[in-house]
Amino acid sequence: MAPGSVKPSWRKPAGALGIIAWIFLWVILVASFSQWIGQLPVLAQLPVYIVTGVVWVLPLGGVLRWMETGRWRAA
């Protein structure tokens, strides 16, 4: 490795795989409730899908920070 070059980190590929796994698990979880959600009136389904479509992103902040810095919380 050349002097001054940065050693590649294993955190980025591991984090990317973790994010993909999280999305897969979230989709399975939401889909498992689809029969119940489908029985709701359309205007009641809308907020359910909006919330489930946004909430999955919340835990990713820590993972993305860890991928970049190696720490889970901001300093």
Side-chain angles (χ1 to χ4, degrees):
M1 200 177 269
S5 64
V6 178
K7 182 180 176 187
S9 171
W10 59 272
R11 289 189 312 265
K12 288 189 180 183
L17 289 174
I19 289 171
I20 291 169
W22 170 246
I23 293 170
F24 183 72
L25 292 172
W26 188 254
V27 167
I28 290 172
L29 177 70
V30 173
S32 69
F33 289 105
S34 65
Q35 185 176 8
W36 175 78
I37 296 168
Q39 293 175 357
L40 296 172
V42 173
L43 291 177
Q45 290 179 28
L46 182 64
V48 171
Y49 284 119
I50 289 173
V51 169
T52 58
V54 172
V55 168
W56 69 272
V57 177
L58 298 177
L60 297 184
V63 174
L64 293 172
R65 188 176 307 105
W66 172 78
M67 289 169 60
E68 287 295 321
T69 65
R71 293 185 307 258
W72 287 102
R73 297 185 187 265

